[in-house]
Amino acid sequence: MMTTSTTNATMTVDEAASLAAAAAPHLAASSPSTRAAWLEAVADALDRRVTELVALADEESHLGTTRLTGEVARTTGQLRLFAAVLGDGAFLEVVIDHADAAATPPKPELRRMLRPTGPVAVFSASNFPFAFSVAGGDTASALAAGCPVIVKAHSAHPRLSRLTAEIVIEALHDAGAPEGSFALVEGRDQGTALVQHPAITAVGFTGSLAGGRALFDLASRRPAPIPFYGELGSTNPVVITAAALQGDRAAVLARGLAGSFTLGVGQFCTNPGLVLVPAGSGFAELVAEAANGTAAGRMLTPGIADAYQSGAARAAAHPGVRTLLGGDAEAPQSGVATVLATTAATVLEDPEVLLEEIFGPATLIIEYADESELHAVLAAVGGALTATVHAAPDEDVTELVSRLEPLAGRVLFGGWPTGVAVGWAQHHGGPWPATTSLHTSVGATAVRRFQRPIVYQDTPERVLPEALHESNPLRLPRRIDGVLELPA
């Protein structure tokens, strides 16, 4: 088996893609346990360099050492989660139907499993320099599937991207992974070329709606179109019922919302940007009071700060929108907490403007007069990563939940959407424009994006992947002739 070069972490697209294409058959032929060891090695290497990584990340992102140290732990935890996914074996979805000449029509022997797609392009995010970046969840899930990975570094943290890539390359080399298993490219032009390169079989992306849509269209227009798994944007609607605002509960919810939409200067894809409350509740004023005094924080990049300030100003200037907090002179490159309020009727008159995502520490409180107005606004909200319900403990919200389920990939009760737990059951995705597919970018099933099903018919066992051998040498869970069988 070839070994990974530990020279320059950054390559051109052609260099990286050539090496990835050569490595792809070796990764596809590697056992799940072997790939699990590679992921563990990368996690261990990142943990050993955590102090150095966090210091550099803070210089470039201004997110603070506490937040960034936790994000490194989340990143290495993701890598180890996918090592556990490989050990479980269910991700291969092995199904075997033995031949049955007596069936009508006669049935041949069919053996089915999921196989890696091939080299994968991953685009780093600006707001999570570790967990959604060079060694983040897309990289971990693609390597787990058996796919070489080429990462396009984000311009918001170039030095951190190079250092992380060097650590990943060295760890994979030392663990025996093939040369070409991982590479880094930089620059917008290289990113465009990466999506269009014929060796690339799938793309994982986290970023803006405009940037993601442009790359999505490129992937679709290729001579051989490829799947583009983009997480693009989300307003994450929150619905609060009248019963939930009784007594001192309203102030508690206001403080919770204020803490959620200002967390990390509001630079979370799960930021609660739209909050629907009963008219006359006074909740918007409570939120403004709770968020008042929140220090303006430096945003990730000047471009993100400019987009936030212009987006907040555009919404605030709309007729029928009240500014309860914010609107003061903005600090350069910073985000000032902003609380806006309006009515459902106003939103329904101009949904394209008022339901647009504002990426930063802003939230729009929408007052609805009755259930019909609430449902009309929800019908106008685009697909979201999350939808949240705050109701009284004994309140029947069955109909409300049935209206939220089509909007979002995760429905929460009694909490706030900022924060995405990494685990087996997590789903981080949603209808367009939240994501471009039905798949998740967080959690164990994220690996499914970079696999494709293949059936082997009447195939000699010497040709079959080891996972499909009759004796089950890898001790995988399998469905045999329609019956699920677990290894002893």
Side-chain angles (χ1 to χ4, degrees):
M1 182 176 287
M2 298 177 289
T3 57
T4 304
S5 170
T6 57
T7 54
N8 190 0
T10 304
M11 299 182 176
T12 68
V13 166
D14 284 339
E15 291 170 337
S18 177
L19 288 171
H26 299 282
L27 267 75
S30 64
S31 69
S33 61
T34 297
R35 297 200 298 276
W38 298 345
L39 295 175
E40 294 275 7
V42 173
D44 291 344
L46 293 171
D47 280 339
R48 286 193 296 269
R49 305 281 292 274
V50 62
T51 301
E52 180 184 2
L53 287 165
V54 166
L56 183 53
D58 193 35
E59 287 182 22
E60 293 189 311
S61 70
H62 327 294
L63 291 173
T65 57
T66 300
R67 148 78 191 270
L68 291 166
T69 300
E71 193 182 327
V72 174
R74 173 196 173 106
T75 303
T76 57
Q78 286 178 154
L79 288 158
R80 295 187 176 101
L81 170 68
F82 285 108
V85 169
L86 290 167
D88 173 80
F91 78 102
L92 292 172
E93 297 184 14
V94 174
V95 182
I96 297 174
D97 285 345
H98 291 107
D100 184 0
T104 305
K107 185 171 63 178
E109 180 183 84
L110 302 173
R111 295 175 181 253
R112 179 187 187 274
M113 66 179 295
L114 299 181
R115 299 283 283 161
T117 60
V120 168
V122 169
F123 282 72
S124 295
S126 62
N127 57 338
F128 281 86
F130 293 111
F132 286 85
S133 189
V134 174
D138 286 349
T139 294
S141 55
L143 287 173
C147 299
V149 174
I150 303 173
V151 174
K152 189 272 180 185
H154 199 284
S155 58
H157 37 80
R159 291 182 296 146
L160 176 66
S161 297
R162 294 176 204 130
L163 176 59
T164 305
E166 289 169 4
I167 293 171
V168 173
I169 289 171
E170 183 177 8
L172 289 173
H173 166 263
D174 292 347
E179 182 180 10
S181 296
F182 179 89
L184 184 75
V185 300
E186 296 186 63
R188 182 177 298 233
D189 291 343
Q190 291 287 283
T192 299
L194 184 60
V195 173
Q196 295 175 305
H197 199 285
I200 298 299
T201 62
V203 181
F205 173 90
T206 302
S208 70
L209 176 59
R213 181 60 200 243
L215 295 176
F216 183 30
D217 291 345
L218 282 179
S220 300
R221 289 200 300 263
R222 288 172 35 135
I226 57 173
F228 180 89
Y229 301 113
E231 183 205 309
L232 308 180
S234 182
T235 54
N236 306 299
V238 177
V239 178
I240 302 179
T241 68
L245 293 172
Q246 298 305 305
D248 60 0
R249 182 60 182 160
V252 173
L253 288 174
R255 290 193 295 271
L257 173 59
S260 182
F261 83 82
T262 62
L263 183 67
V265 203
Q267 297 168 117
F268 285 77
C269 54
T270 51
N271 198 36
L274 304 174
V275 183
L276 293 101
V277 300
S281 64
F283 185 70
E285 287 75 13
L286 290 175
V287 175
E289 180 182 350
N292 190 24
T294 302
R298 185 170 177 179
M299 301 193 80
L300 291 159
T301 68
I304 289 174
D306 290 344
Y308 169 66
Q309 291 165 7
S310 62
R314 182 169 57 254
H318 193 280
V321 173
R322 297 179 292 136
T323 300
L324 302 179
L325 184 67
D328 299 328
E330 298 98 351
Q333 300 185 28
S334 296
V336 177
T338 301
V339 177
L340 306 174
T342 190
T343 65
T346 300
V347 169
L348 293 172
E349 289 174 0
D350 201 357
E352 291 186 1
V353 172
L354 294 179
L355 297 182
E356 183 179 356
E357 179 187 20
I358 303 173
F359 188 71
T363 194
L364 176 64
I365 312 295
I366 304 171
E367 297 187 346
Y368 58 90
D370 51 33
E371 295 294 307
S372 63
E373 279 198 346
L374 168 61
H375 296 160
V377 172
L378 290 176
V381 173
L385 294 168
T386 72
T388 303
V389 177
H390 285 279
D394 58 349
E395 190 173 0
D396 183 3
V397 292
T398 304
E399 182 180 358
L400 172 60
V401 172
S402 71
R403 292 179 180 273
L404 294 177
E405 286 173 345
L407 300 182
R410 178 163 57 108
V411 181
L412 300 80
F413 295 82
W416 301 102
T418 38
V420 184
V422 179
W424 290 82
Q426 186 59 274
H427 183 85
H428 189 58
W432 175 269
T435 53
T436 60
S437 77
L438 300 178
H439 293 276
T440 179
S441 61
V442 179
T445 52
V447 72
R448 183 63 182 84
R449 296 172 296 169
F450 309 120
Q451 298 172 284
R452 67 178 185 89
I454 182 169
V455 174
Y456 299 86
Q457 180 171 323
D458 293 331
T459 307
E461 186 164 270
R462 67 181 182 278
V463 180
L464 288 170
E466 198 173 16
L468 293 177
H469 286 195
E470 189 70 19
S471 63
N472 196 11
L474 300 181
R475 298 177 54 78
L476 302 170
R478 308 188 302 180
R479 187 169 294 279
I480 308 295
D481 295 327
V483 178
L484 182 63
E485 295 186 0
L486 303 177

